[in-house]
Amino acid sequence: MLTVNALNHYYGQSHSLRDVSFEAKPAACTCLMGRNGVGKTTLAKCLMGLEQTRSGEMLYRGIALEKLPAERRAQEGIGYVPQGRQIFPLLSVEENIRTGFFAGNSKTHKIPDSIYELFPVLLEMKNRRGGDLSGGQQQQLAMARALVIEPMLLILDEPAEGIQPSIVQEIGNVISMLSQELGISVILIEQKLPFIRKVADSFAIMDRGNIAATGVMSELTEDLVSEYLVV
Ligand SMILES: Nc1ncnc2c1ncn2[C@@H]1O[C@H](COP(=O)(O)OP(=O)(O)OP(=O)(O)O)[C@@H](O)[C@H]1O
Ligand SMILES: [Mg+2]
């Protein structure tokens, strides 16, 4: 689904991604892990076209993403839930979900019932303002917004950050369902280990702009965890 090859990115003089290579398979959840500041969000932004890469390639279903403008990447079926959710606090829940249509290229702008089936709380609250929702509900809202374009690849940047445990569990169930039942390739950026172990199929660990290790979940050893993840 996605193959990233020797990707390099700079913020000014600062070399933030160094020859990053990893792969995300269809119908699977690949977790991009690593401590704060190692470059996880930068990599997500490069995939979405919100940051320009210096060199390397990002091949998505045979398309060289680095050659496509940001808006085309969404139209090709890449959904993105940014870190910190970034919903519109003054718009209603329903209006927030609708903003997701602007990213895609579908003609119909009807919110599919399946979105509210995944997140029943959003149906209950569809006329409330986004800013009135709890952090966990806002995260669900940001996911719903990303899902209206029916993405084939979905990038989630720390969806469990600052969220109450019951909703983290619900979000985990939705991620498993999206990858296993709907066949979506999910790239989950995450630091919470129990959550990762529950939903991810494989991992790529980042360290100071590098990929330090990759593998399937059973290959995530305690040594790797203590070297690259535990603070
Ligand atoms: N807009 C920017 N300009 C300059 N440097 C930046 C910018 N954004 C991030 N950085 C730096 O690039 C490095 C990688 O940041 P990034 O946000 O990608 O890390 P991260 O792994 O997502 O961290 P976290 O887990 O805290 O979200 C950090 O050193 C950060 O300070
Ligand atoms: Mg980040």
Side-chain angles (χ1 to χ4, degrees), residues 94-183:
E94 189 176 357
E95 287 163 342
N96 264 283
I97 298 175
R98 283 188 189 288
T99 64
F101 287 118
F102 294 117
N105 57 1
S106 79
K107 294 282 186 292
T108 64
H109 282 191
K110 186 184 177 306
I111 299 170
D113 292 342
S114 58
I115 297 280
Y116 289 126
E117 281 158 20
L118 280 176
F119 303 108
V121 68
L122 298 182
L123 182 60
E124 276 166 46
M125 304 189 93
K126 78 183 169 111
N127 297 316
R128 300 276 284 276
R129 289 199 299 194
D132 294 338
L133 270 55
S134 74
Q137 291 163 344
Q138 289 183 8
Q139 185 65 50
Q140 292 171 304
L141 176 55
M143 289 176 71
R145 176 181 60 189
L147 287 170
V148 292
I149 63 161
E150 297 183 47
M152 281 177 272
L153 174 66
L154 179 66
I155 302 170
L156 303 167
D157 196 347
E158 303 214 29
E161 200 177 25
I163 284 176
Q164 64 199 77
S166 63
I167 299 193
V168 170
Q169 195 175 348
E170 281 178 34
I171 287 174
N173 293 341
V174 168
I175 293 173
S176 298
M177 143 98 174
L178 293 175
S179 58
Q180 288 162 24
E181 289 174 38
L182 299 182

Coordinates of all heavy atoms in Angstrom, one line a residue, residues 94-183:
E94 N -21.8 17.8 13.2 CA -22.2 17.4 11.8 C -21.4 18.3 10.8 O -20.8 17.8 9.8 CB -23.7 17.6 11.6 CG -24.1 17.0 10.3 CD -25.6 17.1 10.1 OE1 -26.3 17.5 11.0 OE2 -26.0 16.7 9.0
E95 N -21.3 19.6 11.1 CA -20.5 20.5 10.2 C -19.0 20.1 10.2 O -18.4 20.1 9.1 CB -20.7 22.0 10.6 CG -22.1 22.5 10.3 CD -22.4 23.8 11.1 OE1 -21.7 24.1 12.1 OE2 -23.4 24.5 10.7
N96 N -18.5 19.8 11.4 CA -17.1 19.3 11.4 C -16.9 18.1 10.5 O -15.9 18.0 9.8 CB -16.7 19.0 12.9 CG -16.1 20.1 13.6 OD1 -14.9 20.4 13.4 ND2 -16.8 20.8 14.5
I97 N -17.8 17.2 10.6 CA -17.7 15.9 9.8 C -17.7 16.3 8.3 O -16.9 15.8 7.5 CB -18.7 14.9 10.1 CG1 -18.6 14.5 11.6 CG2 -18.6 13.7 9.2 CD1 -19.7 13.5 12.1
R98 N -18.6 17.2 8.0 CA -18.8 17.6 6.6 C -17.5 18.3 6.0 O -17.2 18.2 4.8 CB -19.9 18.6 6.4 CG -21.2 18.0 6.4 CD -22.4 19.0 6.1 NE -23.6 18.3 6.3 CZ -24.1 17.4 5.6 NH1 -23.5 17.0 4.5 NH2 -25.3 16.8 5.9
T99 N -16.7 19.0 6.9 CA -15.5 19.6 6.3 C -14.6 18.6 5.7 O -13.8 18.9 4.9 CB -14.7 20.4 7.4 OG1 -14.3 19.5 8.4 CG2 -15.6 21.5 8.1
G100 N -14.7 17.3 6.1 CA -13.9 16.2 5.6 C -14.1 16.1 4.1 O -13.2 15.6 3.4
F101 N -15.3 16.4 3.6 CA -15.6 16.2 2.2 C -14.7 17.1 1.3 O -14.5 16.8 0.2 CB -17.1 16.5 1.9 CG -18.0 15.5 2.4 CD1 -19.0 15.7 3.3 CD2 -17.9 14.2 1.9 CE1 -19.8 14.8 3.8 CE2 -18.8 13.2 2.3 CZ -19.8 13.5 3.3
F102 N -14.3 18.3 1.9 CA -13.5 19.2 1.0 C -12.2 18.6 0.6 O -11.6 19.0 -0.3 CB -13.3 20.5 1.8 CG -14.5 21.3 2.0 CD1 -15.0 21.6 3.3 CD2 -15.3 21.8 1.0 CE1 -16.1 22.3 3.5 CE2 -16.4 22.5 1.2 CZ -16.9 22.7 2.5
A103 N -11.7 17.6 1.4 CA -10.4 17.0 1.1 C -10.6 16.0 0.0 O -9.6 15.7 -0.8 CB -9.9 16.3 2.4
G104 N -11.7 15.4 -0.2 CA -11.9 14.3 -1.2 C -12.4 14.9 -2.5 O -12.4 16.1 -2.8
N105 N -12.9 14.0 -3.4 CA -13.4 14.4 -4.7 C -14.7 13.8 -5.0 O -15.1 13.7 -6.1 CB -12.4 14.2 -5.8 CG -12.0 12.7 -5.9 OD1 -12.5 11.9 -5.1 ND2 -11.1 12.4 -6.8
S106 N -15.4 13.3 -3.9 CA -16.7 12.7 -4.2 C -17.8 13.8 -4.5 O -17.7 14.9 -3.9 CB -17.2 11.8 -3.0 OG -17.7 12.6 -2.0
K107 N -18.8 13.4 -5.3 CA -19.8 14.4 -5.6 C -20.9 14.5 -4.5 O -21.3 15.5 -4.2 CB -20.5 13.9 -6.9 CG -19.6 14.0 -8.1 CD -19.4 15.4 -8.6 CE -18.6 15.5 -9.9 NZ -17.2 15.1 -9.7
T108 N -21.2 13.3 -3.9 CA -22.2 13.4 -2.9 C -21.6 13.8 -1.6 O -20.5 13.4 -1.2 CB -22.8 12.0 -2.6 OG1 -21.8 11.1 -2.2 CG2 -23.4 11.4 -3.9
H109 N -22.3 14.6 -0.8 CA -21.8 15.1 0.4 C -22.7 14.6 1.6 O -22.9 15.4 2.5 CB -21.6 16.6 0.4 CG -20.4 17.1 -0.3 ND1 -19.9 18.3 -0.3 CD2 -19.5 16.4 -1.1 CE1 -18.8 18.4 -1.0 NE2 -18.5 17.2 -1.5
K110 N -23.2 13.4 1.4 CA -24.0 12.9 2.5 C -23.2 12.1 3.4 O -22.4 11.2 3.0 CB -25.1 12.0 1.9 CG -26.1 11.5 2.9 CD -27.1 10.5 2.3 CE -28.1 10.0 3.4 NZ -27.4 9.4 4.5
I111 N -23.3 12.3 4.7 CA -22.5 11.6 5.7 C -23.0 10.2 5.7 O -24.1 9.9 6.0 CB -22.5 12.2 7.1 CG1 -22.0 13.7 7.0 CG2 -21.8 11.4 8.1 CD1 -22.3 14.5 8.3
P112 N -22.1 9.2 5.4 CA -22.6 7.8 5.4 C -23.1 7.3 6.7 O -22.4 7.7 7.7 CB -21.4 7.0 4.9 CG -20.4 8.0 4.4 CD -20.7 9.3 5.0
D113 N -24.1 6.5 6.8 CA -24.6 6.0 8.1 C -23.5 5.2 8.8 O -23.5 5.2 10.0 CB -25.8 5.0 7.9 CG -27.0 5.8 7.4 OD1 -27.1 7.0 7.5 OD2 -27.9 5.1 6.8
S114 N -22.6 4.6 8.0 CA -21.5 3.8 8.6 C -20.7 4.7 9.6 O -20.1 4.1 10.6 CB -20.7 3.2 7.6 OG -20.1 4.2 6.7
I115 N -20.5 6.0 9.3 CA -19.7 6.8 10.2 C -20.4 6.9 11.6 O -19.7 6.7 12.6 CB -19.7 8.3 9.6 CG1 -18.9 8.2 8.2 CG2 -19.0 9.2 10.6 CD1 -17.5 8.2 8.3
Y116 N -21.7 7.1 11.6 CA -22.4 7.2 12.9 C -22.5 5.8 13.5 O -22.6 5.7 14.8 CB -23.8 7.8 12.7 CG -23.7 9.3 12.4 CD1 -24.4 9.8 11.3 CD2 -23.0 10.2 13.2 CE1 -24.3 11.2 11.0 CE2 -23.0 11.5 13.0 CZ -23.6 12.0 11.8 OH -23.6 13.4 11.6
E117 N -22.4 4.7 12.7 CA -22.4 3.4 13.3 C -21.1 3.2 14.0 O -21.0 2.5 15.1 CB -22.7 2.3 12.3 CG -24.2 2.2 11.9 CD -24.4 1.6 10.6 OE1 -23.5 0.9 10.0 OE2 -25.5 1.8 10.0
L118 N -20.0 3.7 13.5 CA -18.7 3.5 14.1 C -18.6 4.4 15.4 O -18.0 4.0 16.4 CB -17.6 4.0 13.2 CG -17.1 3.1 12.1 CD1 -16.1 3.8 11.2 CD2 -16.5 1.8 12.7
F119 N -19.3 5.6 15.3 CA -19.2 6.5 16.4 C -20.6 7.0 16.8 O -21.0 8.1 16.5 CB -18.3 7.7 16.1 CG -16.9 7.4 15.6 CD1 -16.6 7.5 14.2 CD2 -15.9 7.0 16.5 CE1 -15.3 7.2 13.8 CE2 -14.7 6.7 16.0 CZ -14.3 6.8 14.7
P120 N -21.3 6.1 17.5 CA -22.7 6.5 17.8 C -22.8 7.8 18.6 O -23.8 8.5 18.5 CB -23.2 5.3 18.7 CG -22.2 4.2 18.4 CD -21.0 4.8 18.0
V121 N -21.8 8.1 19.4 CA -21.9 9.3 20.3 C -22.0 10.5 19.4 O -22.6 11.5 19.8 CB -20.7 9.3 21.2 CG1 -19.4 9.5 20.5 CG2 -20.8 10.4 22.3
L122 N -21.4 10.5 18.2 CA -21.4 11.6 17.3 C -22.8 11.9 16.7 O -23.2 13.0 16.4 CB -20.4 11.5 16.1 CG -19.0 11.3 16.6 CD1 -18.1 11.2 15.3 CD2 -18.5 12.5 17.4
L123 N -23.6 10.8 16.6 CA -25.0 11.0 16.2 C -25.8 11.6 17.3 O -26.5 12.6 17.0 CB -25.6 9.6 15.8 CG -27.0 9.6 15.3 CD1 -27.1 10.4 14.0 CD2 -27.5 8.2 15.0
E124 N -25.6 11.1 18.5 CA -26.3 11.8 19.6 C -26.0 13.3 19.7 O -26.8 14.1 20.1 CB -25.8 11.1 20.9 CG -26.5 9.9 21.4 CD -25.6 9.2 22.5 OE1 -25.2 9.9 23.4 OE2 -25.4 8.0 22.3
M125 N -24.7 13.6 19.4 CA -24.3 15.0 19.6 C -24.2 15.8 18.4 O -23.5 16.8 18.3 CB -22.9 14.9 20.4 CG -23.0 14.1 21.6 SD -21.5 14.2 22.6 CE -21.9 15.6 23.7
K126 N -24.8 15.4 17.3 CA -24.5 16.0 16.0 C -24.8 17.4 15.9 O -24.2 18.1 15.1 CB -25.1 15.2 14.8 CG -26.6 15.4 14.6 CD -27.0 14.4 13.4 CE -28.4 14.4 13.3 NZ -29.0 15.0 12.2
N127 N -25.7 17.9 16.8 CA -26.0 19.4 16.7 C -25.2 20.2 17.7 O -25.3 21.4 17.8 CB -27.5 19.6 16.9 CG -28.3 19.0 15.7 OD1 -27.9 19.1 14.6 ND2 -29.3 18.3 16.0
R128 N -24.4 19.5 18.6 CA -23.6 20.2 19.6 C -22.4 20.8 18.9 O -22.0 20.4 17.8 CB -23.2 19.3 20.7 CG -24.3 18.6 21.4 CD -24.8 19.5 22.5 NE -23.9 19.4 23.7 CZ -23.9 18.5 24.6 NH1 -24.8 17.5 24.5 NH2 -23.0 18.5 25.6
R129 N -21.8 21.9 19.5 CA -20.6 22.4 19.0 C -19.4 21.5 19.3 O -19.3 20.9 20.3 CB -20.3 23.8 19.5 CG -21.4 24.8 19.0 CD -20.9 26.2 19.2 NE -20.7 26.6 20.6 CZ -20.5 27.8 21.0 NH1 -20.5 28.8 20.2 NH2 -20.3 28.1 22.3
G130 N -18.5 21.5 18.3 CA -17.3 20.6 18.5 C -16.6 20.9 19.7 O -16.1 20.0 20.4
G131 N -16.5 22.2 20.1 CA -15.8 22.6 21.3 C -16.4 22.1 22.6 O -15.7 22.2 23.6
D132 N -17.7 21.7 22.5 CA -18.3 21.3 23.7 C -18.1 19.8 24.0 O -18.4 19.3 25.1 CB -19.9 21.5 23.6 CG -20.2 22.9 23.6 OD1 -19.4 23.8 24.0 OD2 -21.3 23.3 23.1
L133 N -17.4 19.1 23.1 CA -17.2 17.7 23.2 C -16.0 17.4 24.1 O -15.1 18.3 24.2 CB -16.9 17.0 21.9 CG -18.1 16.5 21.1 CD1 -19.2 17.5 20.9 CD2 -17.7 15.9 19.8
S134 N -15.9 16.3 24.8 CA -14.8 15.9 25.6 C -13.6 15.6 24.6 O -13.8 15.5 23.4 CB -15.1 14.6 26.4 OG -15.1 13.5 25.5
G135 N -12.4 15.5 25.1 CA -11.2 15.3 24.3 C -11.4 14.0 23.5 O -11.1 13.9 22.3
G136 N -11.9 12.9 24.1 CA -12.1 11.7 23.5 C -13.1 11.7 22.3 O -12.9 11.2 21.3
Q137 N -14.2 12.5 22.6 CA -15.2 12.6 21.6 C -14.7 13.5 20.4 O -15.0 13.2 19.3 CB -16.5 13.3 22.2 CG -17.2 12.4 23.2 CD -18.2 13.2 24.1 OE1 -18.1 14.4 24.2 NE2 -19.0 12.4 24.7
Q138 N -13.9 14.5 20.7 CA -13.2 15.3 19.6 C -12.3 14.4 18.8 O -12.2 14.6 17.6 CB -12.5 16.4 20.2 CG -13.3 17.5 20.8 CD -12.6 18.7 21.3 OE1 -11.4 18.8 21.1 NE2 -13.3 19.6 22.0
Q139 N -11.7 13.4 19.4 CA -10.8 12.5 18.7 C -11.7 11.7 17.7 O -11.3 11.4 16.6 CB -10.0 11.6 19.6 CG -9.0 10.8 18.9 CD -7.9 11.6 18.3 OE1 -7.3 12.4 18.9 NE2 -7.6 11.3 17.0
Q140 N -12.8 11.2 18.3 CA -13.7 10.4 17.4 C -14.2 11.3 16.3 O -14.3 10.8 15.1 CB -14.8 9.9 18.3 CG -14.3 8.8 19.2 CD -15.4 8.4 20.2 OE1 -15.9 9.2 21.0 NE2 -15.7 7.1 20.3
L141 N -14.5 12.5 16.6 CA -15.0 13.5 15.5 C -13.9 13.7 14.4 O -14.2 13.6 13.2 CB -15.3 14.8 16.2 CG -15.7 16.0 15.3 CD1 -16.9 15.5 14.4 CD2 -16.1 17.2 16.1
A142 N -12.6 13.8 14.9 CA -11.6 14.0 13.9 C -11.4 12.7 13.0 O -11.1 12.8 11.8 CB -10.3 14.3 14.6
M143 N -11.6 11.6 13.6 CA -11.5 10.3 12.8 C -12.7 10.3 11.9 O -12.5 9.9 10.7 CB -11.5 9.1 13.8 CG -10.2 9.0 14.5 SD -10.2 7.6 15.7 CE -10.2 6.2 14.6
A144 N -13.9 10.6 12.3 CA -15.1 10.6 11.4 C -14.8 11.5 10.2 O -15.1 11.2 9.1 CB -16.3 11.0 12.2
R145 N -14.3 12.7 10.5 CA -14.0 13.7 9.4 C -13.0 13.1 8.4 O -13.2 13.3 7.2 CB -13.4 14.9 10.1 CG -13.0 16.0 9.1 CD -12.4 17.2 9.8 NE -11.2 16.9 10.6 CZ -10.6 17.7 11.4 NH1 -11.1 18.9 11.6 NH2 -9.6 17.3 12.1
A146 N -12.1 12.4 8.9 CA -11.1 11.8 8.0 C -11.7 10.6 7.2 O -11.2 10.3 6.1 CB -9.9 11.3 8.8
L147 N -12.7 10.0 7.8 CA -13.2 8.7 7.1 C -14.3 9.0 6.1 O -14.6 8.1 5.3 CB -13.8 7.8 8.2 CG -12.8 7.1 9.1 CD1 -13.5 6.4 10.2 CD2 -12.0 6.1 8.3
V148 N -14.8 10.3 6.0 CA -15.9 10.5 5.0 C -15.4 10.4 3.6 O -16.1 10.1 2.7 CB -16.6 11.9 5.2 CG1 -17.4 11.9 6.4 CG2 -15.7 13.0 5.0
I149 N -14.1 10.5 3.4 CA -13.5 10.4 2.0 C -13.3 8.9 1.7 O -12.8 8.6 0.6 CB -12.3 11.2 1.7 CG1 -11.1 10.7 2.6 CG2 -12.5 12.7 1.9 CD1 -9.7 11.2 2.2
E150 N -13.7 8.0 2.6 CA -13.4 6.6 2.5 C -12.0 6.3 2.1 O -11.7 5.8 1.0 CB -14.4 6.0 1.4 CG -15.8 6.1 1.9 CD -16.8 5.5 1.0 OE1 -16.6 4.3 0.5 OE2 -17.8 6.1 0.6
P151 N -11.1 6.6 3.0 CA -9.6 6.4 2.6 C -9.2 5.0 2.5 O -9.8 4.1 3.1 CB -8.9 7.1 3.8 CG -9.9 6.9 5.0 CD -11.3 7.1 4.3
M152 N -8.2 4.8 1.7 CA -7.6 3.4 1.7 C -6.4 3.3 2.6 O -6.0 2.3 3.1 CB -7.1 3.1 0.2 CG -8.3 2.7 -0.6 SD -7.8 2.4 -2.3 CE -8.0 4.1 -3.0
L153 N -5.8 4.5 2.9 CA -4.7 4.7 3.9 C -5.1 5.7 4.8 O -5.6 6.8 4.4 CB -3.4 5.1 3.1 CG -2.2 5.4 4.0 CD1 -1.7 4.1 4.7 CD2 -1.1 6.0 3.2
L154 N -5.0 5.4 6.1 CA -5.4 6.4 7.2 C -4.3 6.6 8.1 O -3.7 5.6 8.7 CB -6.7 5.8 7.9 CG -7.2 6.7 9.1 CD1 -7.8 8.0 8.5 CD2 -8.3 5.9 9.8
I155 N -3.9 7.8 8.3 CA -2.8 8.2 9.2 C -3.3 8.8 10.5 O -4.0 9.8 10.4 CB -1.8 9.1 8.5 CG1 -1.3 8.5 7.2 CG2 -0.6 9.5 9.5 CD1 -0.5 9.4 6.3
L156 N -3.1 8.2 11.6 CA -3.6 8.7 12.9 C -2.4 9.1 13.8 O -1.6 8.3 14.1 CB -4.4 7.6 13.6 CG -5.6 7.0 12.9 CD1 -6.0 5.7 13.6 CD2 -6.7 8.0 12.9
D157 N -2.4 10.4 14.1 CA -1.2 10.9 14.9 C -1.6 11.0 16.4 O -2.3 11.9 16.8 CB -0.7 12.2 14.3 CG 0.7 12.6 14.8 OD1 1.1 11.9 15.8 OD2 1.3 13.5 14.3
E158 N -1.2 10.0 17.2 CA -1.4 10.0 18.6 C -2.9 10.2 19.0 O -3.2 11.1 19.7 CB -0.5 11.0 19.3 CG 1.0 10.7 19.0 CD 2.0 10.9 20.1 OE1 1.6 10.8 21.3 OE2 3.1 11.2 19.8
P159 N -3.7 9.2 18.5 CA -5.2 9.4 18.8 C -5.5 9.1 20.3 O -6.6 9.5 20.7 CB -5.8 8.3 17.9 CG -4.8 7.3 17.7 CD -3.5 8.1 17.6
A160 N -4.6 8.5 21.0 CA -5.0 8.2 22.4 C -4.4 9.2 23.4 O -4.5 9.1 24.6 CB -4.5 6.8 22.8
E161 N -3.8 10.3 22.9 CA -3.1 11.3 23.7 C -4.1 12.1 24.5 O -5.0 12.7 24.0 CB -2.3 12.2 22.8 CG -1.2 13.0 23.4 CD -0.5 13.9 22.4 OE1 -1.0 14.2 21.3 OE2 0.7 14.2 22.6
G162 N -3.9 12.0 25.8 CA -4.8 12.8 26.7 C -6.3 12.5 26.7 O -7.1 13.4 26.8
I163 N -6.6 11.2 26.5 CA -7.9 10.8 26.4 C -8.3 9.7 27.5 O -7.4 8.9 27.8 CB -8.2 10.2 25.0 CG1 -8.3 11.4 24.1 CG2 -9.4 9.3 24.9 CD1 -8.4 11.0 22.6
Q164 N -9.5 9.8 28.0 CA -9.9 8.8 29.1 C -9.9 7.4 28.6 O -10.2 7.1 27.4 CB -11.3 9.2 29.6 CG -12.4 9.1 28.6 CD -13.6 9.8 29.0 OE1 -13.7 11.0 28.9 NE2 -14.6 9.1 29.5
P165 N -9.5 6.5 29.5 CA -9.2 5.1 29.1 C -10.4 4.4 28.3 O -10.2 3.7 27.4 CB -8.9 4.3 30.4 CG -8.4 5.4 31.3 CD -9.1 6.7 30.9
S166 N -11.6 4.7 28.8 CA -12.8 4.0 28.1 C -12.8 4.4 26.6 O -13.1 3.5 25.8 CB -14.1 4.4 28.8 OG -14.3 5.7 28.7
I167 N -12.6 5.6 26.3 CA -12.7 6.1 24.9 C -11.4 5.6 24.1 O -11.5 5.2 23.0 CB -12.9 7.6 24.8 CG1 -14.2 8.0 25.5 CG2 -12.9 8.0 23.3 CD1 -14.7 9.4 25.2
V168 N -10.3 5.5 24.8 CA -9.1 4.9 24.1 C -9.4 3.5 23.7 O -9.1 3.1 22.5 CB -7.9 4.9 25.1 CG1 -6.7 4.0 24.5 CG2 -7.4 6.3 25.4
Q169 N -10.1 2.7 24.5 CA -10.5 1.4 24.1 C -11.5 1.4 22.9 O -11.3 0.6 22.0 CB -11.2 0.7 25.4 CG -11.2 -0.8 25.2 CD -11.8 -1.4 26.5 OE1 -11.9 -0.8 27.5 NE2 -12.1 -2.7 26.3
E170 N -12.4 2.3 23.0 CA -13.4 2.3 21.8 C -12.6 2.7 20.5 O -12.9 2.1 19.5 CB -14.4 3.4 22.1 CG -15.5 3.1 23.0 CD -16.5 4.2 23.2 OE1 -16.7 5.0 22.2 OE2 -17.0 4.4 24.3
I171 N -11.7 3.6 20.6 CA -10.9 4.0 19.5 C -10.1 2.8 19.0 O -10.0 2.6 17.8 CB -10.1 5.3 19.8 CG1 -11.0 6.5 19.9 CG2 -9.0 5.5 18.7 CD1 -10.3 7.8 20.4
G172 N -9.5 2.1 19.9 CA -8.8 0.9 19.5 C -9.6 -0.1 18.8 O -9.2 -0.7 17.7
N173 N -10.9 -0.3 19.2 CA -11.8 -1.2 18.5 C -12.1 -0.7 17.1 O -12.1 -1.5 16.2 CB -13.1 -1.4 19.3 CG -12.9 -2.0 20.7 OD1 -11.9 -2.7 20.9 ND2 -13.8 -1.9 21.6
V174 N -12.3 0.6 17.0 CA -12.6 1.1 15.7 C -11.3 0.9 14.7 O -11.5 0.5 13.6 CB -12.9 2.6 15.8 CG1 -13.0 3.3 14.4 CG2 -14.3 2.8 16.4
I175 N -10.1 1.2 15.2 CA -9.0 1.0 14.4 C -8.8 -0.5 13.9 O -8.6 -0.7 12.8 CB -7.7 1.4 15.2 CG1 -7.7 2.9 15.4 CG2 -6.4 1.0 14.4 CD1 -6.6 3.4 16.3
S176 N -9.1 -1.4 14.8 CA -9.0 -2.8 14.5 C -10.0 -3.2 13.4 O -9.8 -3.9 12.4 CB -9.3 -3.7 15.7 OG -8.3 -3.5 16.6
M177 N -11.2 -2.6 13.6 CA -12.3 -2.8 12.6 C -11.9 -2.2 11.2 O -12.2 -2.9 10.2 CB -13.6 -2.2 13.3 CG -14.5 -1.6 12.4 SD -15.7 -2.8 12.0 CE -16.8 -1.8 11.1
L178 N -11.4 -1.0 11.2 CA -11.1 -0.4 10.0 C -10.0 -1.2 9.2 O -10.1 -1.4 8.0 CB -10.5 1.1 10.2 CG -11.5 2.1 10.8 CD1 -10.7 3.4 11.1 CD2 -12.6 2.3 9.8
S179 N -9.0 -1.7 9.9 CA -8.0 -2.4 9.2 C -8.4 -3.8 8.9 O -8.3 -4.2 7.7 CB -6.7 -2.4 10.1 OG -6.9 -3.0 11.3
Q180 N -9.0 -4.5 9.9 CA -9.3 -5.9 9.6 C -10.5 -6.2 8.8 O -10.6 -7.0 7.9 CB -9.4 -6.7 11.0 CG -8.1 -6.9 11.6 CD -8.2 -7.2 13.1 OE1 -9.2 -7.7 13.5 NE2 -7.1 -6.9 13.9
E181 N -11.6 -5.4 9.0 CA -12.8 -5.6 8.3 C -13.0 -4.8 7.1 O -13.5 -5.3 6.1 CB -14.0 -5.4 9.3 CG -14.1 -6.6 10.3 CD -15.1 -6.4 11.3 OE1 -16.2 -5.9 11.0 OE2 -14.9 -6.7 12.5
L182 N -12.5 -3.5 7.1 CA -12.7 -2.7 5.9 C -11.4 -2.7 5.0 O -11.4 -2.1 4.0 CB -13.0 -1.2 6.3 CG -14.3 -1.1 7.1 CD1 -14.6 0.4 7.4 CD2 -15.5 -1.7 6.3
G183 N -10.4 -3.3 5.5 CA -9.2 -3.5 4.6 C -8.3 -2.3 4.5 O -7.5 -2.2 3.6

